[in-house]
Amino acid sequence: MAIPHLEFLKHLFRVKRHVYLDHNATTRVSSRVQRTMNRVLRRSYGNPSSLYSIARKSAEIMDDARRHVAHAVGADSHEILFTGCATESNNAVLKSVSAHFYPRKKKIISSPIEHPSVMKTLQFLTTQGIVVEYCPVDRYGRVNPSEIENLIDEDTFLVCCMLANNEIGTVQDVRAIAEISRRRGVLVLSDCVQAFGKIPVDVHGLGVDYASFSAHKLHGPKGVGALYVKQGSPFAPLLHGGHQEEGLRAGTEGLHNIAGFGTACRDVNKLLAQAGRIGTLKQQIIDRLRLIKPDCVVNSPDTGCLPNTANITFPNTSNAALLAMFDYHGIAVSAGSACNTHDDKPSDTLKAIGLSDRAAKETVRFSLGSETTARDIRYTAWAFREYVEGRSLLVNIVSPLELDEPFLLDEQNYILDVRTQGLRKKVKSLPNAHEVSFTAIGKSLHLLPRDKHILVVCQGGGLSYIAAYFLRAKGFERVSSLRTGVCGWKERRGDLYHRLAGQNVTSVRATG
Ligand code: PLP
């Protein structure tokens, strides 16, 4: 009798939960921030640039928020600009500082593991005559400050090094880098987006000239960022127009977002106080996953790492499949490489630390947060064990070579293409495909046949896994996912692609 009772309790424990382990992507807005934002939206509609009293009230709210942000990052209020996001902050610095120095000086030194908002901007700047040199990093993404020193020459005007990496969590010695750069008369930009709220950030102490921040990484709203510009450092606006932000960032301010950012910054010490607890949970998840799959490789460094970030490669396990399985169990994690397009290449960070394309596609990032509990960790490890030991709900995998003419023309096979319109323009659909966008599947379930074999396809083979798991969870019995997606099929079955692709394609809504 005892055993069934125990089983029942175990079952209760394992009832599907929602576990959010993607705090480096974004965080939930805290209730205190929500209250602030609601209050501002309800009452404070005055334009902060106007002169009458309701406008002055809005300007006061801006001042308060700026003070809170400045205080939280160790800056003076007049050194903080509000922007639309950290991407804008990074763009503004890189483009304006380059314009300031070019053509007198042309070189920027960067770490190779910067966020795309830096990497892509640097790539753009190289088309404008700027030279970018990347300082090598070690296996854990660490930049050696003396290597930066070796790269600095007469032509160098800026060093760009993030404080903490978003994918693997590595924390850089930005203070040492800034000290070297200052001695050599070179400016420093540090992207502090991921560090803020997880480890202490003090821009004056770091000695950097520019630093970028984003509210939504620390329980603030999306769509607002901040930029620290050290007094006297060159800077010119990215957006021209009104005289907001002392003429350095035109555009009527999103007051509710800025106020929300200010409130989030007031709570930053509470977040920092959780670092020890979160670090312990991170170690628990690493230990538990290692126990289940001893050959997994942790890419995040043991020391000098954000307390919440564990980036792990699981050999011979597709991260798309893992993501889909975790999602099926209500667990949100992130892949080490974008798995929804044919650009299924490893990220710059994973490449720079030496991961092969294959290892990158076996890599998952777990990023914990203030709401993460020990139970979340146990549940995540349980879901992983179920998967590794073959007990998870199964989705069949179809290889592109199996997609021959008889398969494609067999009416028992229902091909569901979950790509966006943009991707369908790049690569034509499979013949007889039924198109529905990934985000609309939930609303289209009643239009899908329950008596047929559904083959879900996407561009690169990642999203289709998630959609296929979703269909299985909704009771569809025979569901498969096309490995390597439509691109893989085009590559391996070029003959069929040229003869049949795009024929007899219908929209799921239209057929319904
Ligand atoms: N920099 C880093 C390190 C990030 O992780 C992110 C967001 O993921 C950004 C910049 C961009 O921030 P935002 O979403 O505010 O543009």
Side-chain angles (χ1 to χ4, degrees):
M1 285 304 286
I3 303 285
H5 182 61
L6 189 66
E7 284 307 312
F8 176 67
L9 284 179
K10 277 190 187 165
H11 173 75
L12 270 188
F13 169 72
R14 285 167 188 165
V15 169
K16 185 167 165 178
R17 317 177 57 215
H18 288 286
V19 174
Y20 186 69
L21 298 180
D22 202 15
H23 288 82
N24 287 8
T26 195
T27 56
R28 184 209 297 260
V29 170
S30 73
S31 41
R32 192 169 178 210
V33 168
Q34 267 181 48
R35 282 198 298 277
T36 299
M37 293 178 70
N38 286 340
R39 198 171 52 241
V40 169
L41 281 169
R42 265 202 321 270
R43 299 192 200 148
S44 309
Y45 59 89
N47 187 325
S49 300
S50 301
L51 300 177
Y52 36 78
S53 62
I54 53 162
R56 289 201 301 275
K57 179 70 199 152
S58 298
E60 247 173 57
I61 291 171
M62 292 257 318
D63 287 348
D64 281 350
R66 201 184 307 278
R67 208 161 24 82
H68 292 310
V69 175
H71 180 71
V73 302
D76 294 332
S77 286
H78 66 272
E79 295 172 311
I80 295 294
L81 289 183
F82 286 113
T83 60
C85 54
T87 297
E88 181 193 325
S89 303
N90 287 334
N91 267 263
V93 172
L94 292 169
K95 289 175 182 167
S96 79
V97 177
S98 296
H100 178 83
F101 283 98
Y102 188 84
R104 270 181 302 128
K105 294 190 178 205
K106 298 192 193 64
K107 187 163 124 184
I108 298 178
I109 297 167
S110 177
S111 102
I113 63 167
E114 299 294 306
H115 184 265
S117 57
V118 169
M119 296 299 272
K120 290 272 161 62
T121 309
L122 291 176
Q123 278 164 25
F124 164 76
L125 287 170
T126 59
T127 67
Q128 312 294 303
I130 298 294
V131 175
V132 181
E133 277 186 20
Y134 295 96
C135 179
V137 289
D138 71 8
R139 160 76 184 88
Y140 293 107
R142 287 179 289 228
V143 172
N144 182 342
S146 60
E147 302 236 23
I148 296 259
E149 179 151 36
N150 293 340
L151 291 174
I152 294 179
D153 60 17
E154 287 302 301
D155 205 26
T156 309
F157 62 89
L158 184 71
V159 168
C160 193
C161 183
M162 67 203 323
L163 186 51
N165 181 265
N166 44 306
E167 286 181 65
I168 53 179
T170 308
V171 176
Q172 307 289 3
D173 190 352
V174 170
R175 189 188 298 263
I177 292 167
E179 169 60 25
I180 289 167
S181 306
R182 194 187 52 74
R183 269 196 275 113
R184 304 285 299 271
V186 172
L187 299 168
V188 175
L189 160 64
S190 186
D191 175 336
C192 295
V193 169
Q194 289 295 342
F196 193 25
K198 298 178 185 121
I199 56 171
V201 176
D202 170 9
V203 288
H204 285 170
L206 287 173
V208 297
D209 300 274
Y210 309 95
S212 47
F213 302 94
S214 185
H216 71 100
K217 307 290 184 181
L218 61 151
H219 302 281
K222 293 163 187 57
V224 57
L227 174 61
Y228 160 74
V229 180
K230 185 173 155 188
Q231 170 102 41
S233 302
F235 181 78
L238 185 66
L239 301 183
H240 297 91
H243 51 260
Q244 291 89 354
E245 298 296 275
E246 309 281 352
L248 292 177
R249 202 275 182 179
T252 304
E253 302 87 344
L255 189 65
H256 56 299
N257 274 347
I258 289 172
F261 195 1
T263 300
C265 287
R266 292 177 72 179
D267 286 339
V268 87
N269 284 335
K270 284 192 202 147
L271 290 180
L272 294 176
Q274 297 235 28
R277 186 187 72 84
I278 292 172
T280 307
L281 292 177
K282 174 174 102 169
Q283 196 51 49
Q284 282 174 12
I285 196 163
I286 292 173
D287 294 345
R288 282 175 180 267
L289 297 176
R290 244 197 209 126
L291 216 59
I292 299 163
K293 194 160 168 44
D295 62 346
C296 71
V297 181
V298 179
N299 301 310
S300 305
D302 277 347
T303 55
C305 185
L306 291 177
N308 77 320
T309 308
N311 183 290
I312 307 179
T313 303
F314 299 98
N316 304 316
T317 312
S318 141
N319 61 8
L322 279 178
L323 225 74
M325 175 280 292
F326 279 131
D327 182 50
Y328 169 75
H329 287 295
I331 302 163
V333 297
S334 147
S337 62
C339 59
N340 60 344
T341 68
H342 188 48
D343 275 350
D344 199 7
K345 294 191 189 111
S347 70
D348 291 316
T349 299
L350 297 182
K351 259 196 304 201
I353 64 169
L355 262 63
S356 64
D357 286 17
R358 178 175 173 159
K361 287 180 186 171
E362 298 167 342
T363 298
V364 173
R365 176 186 73 187
F366 301 85
S367 52
L368 286 56
S370 54
E371 295 156 342
T372 309
T373 63
R375 200 170 157 205
D376 292 343
I377 301 303
R378 287 198 298 274
Y379 177 70
T380 304
W382 166 80
F384 185 64
R385 183 182 288 282
E386 292 293 293
Y387 179 77
V388 168
E389 295 181 358
R391 285 190 296 275
S392 272
L393 177 92
L394 279 180
V395 160
N396 299 320
I397 303 302
V398 170
S399 106
L401 289 175
E402 287 174 65
L403 278 198
D404 53 14
E405 204 160 347
F407 183 106
L408 291 165
L409 302 179
D410 183 345
E411 289 198 350
Q412 276 311 300
N413 292 325
Y414 183 92
I415 297 169
L416 188 66
D417 183 329
V418 298
R419 294 177 300 156
T420 58
Q421 284 300 342
L423 292 175
R424 286 182 193 134
K425 280 187 198 140
K426 287 188 187 160
V427 183
K428 284 194 239 172
S429 301
L430 296 174
N432 302 323
H434 301 79
E435 297 179 339
V436 64
S437 79
F438 179 71
T439 46
I441 300 173
K443 281 187 285 179
S444 312
L445 291 177
H446 61 292
L447 301 171
L448 304 182
R450 290 191 177 264
D451 56 337
K452 292 190 179 179
H453 165 228
I454 299 184
L455 174 68
V456 190
V457 302
C458 66
Q459 194 84 339
L463 273 192
S464 57
Y465 261 119
I466 298 176
Y469 262 89
F470 175 70
L471 293 181
R472 284 289 276 123
K474 293 292 172 193
F476 288 82
E477 291 292 333
R478 290 188 300 140
V479 186
S480 306
S481 166
L482 175 62
R483 190 168 62 219
T484 67
V486 183
C487 289
W489 182 69
K490 180 183 172 190
E491 239 168 70
R492 287 173 189 77
R493 301 305 305 251
D495 52 329
L496 286 182
Y497 180 83
H498 291 298
R499 202 149 48 80
L500 300 175
Q503 285 181 19
N504 195 27
V505 173
T506 50
S507 151
V508 170
R509 282 179 187 281
T511 54

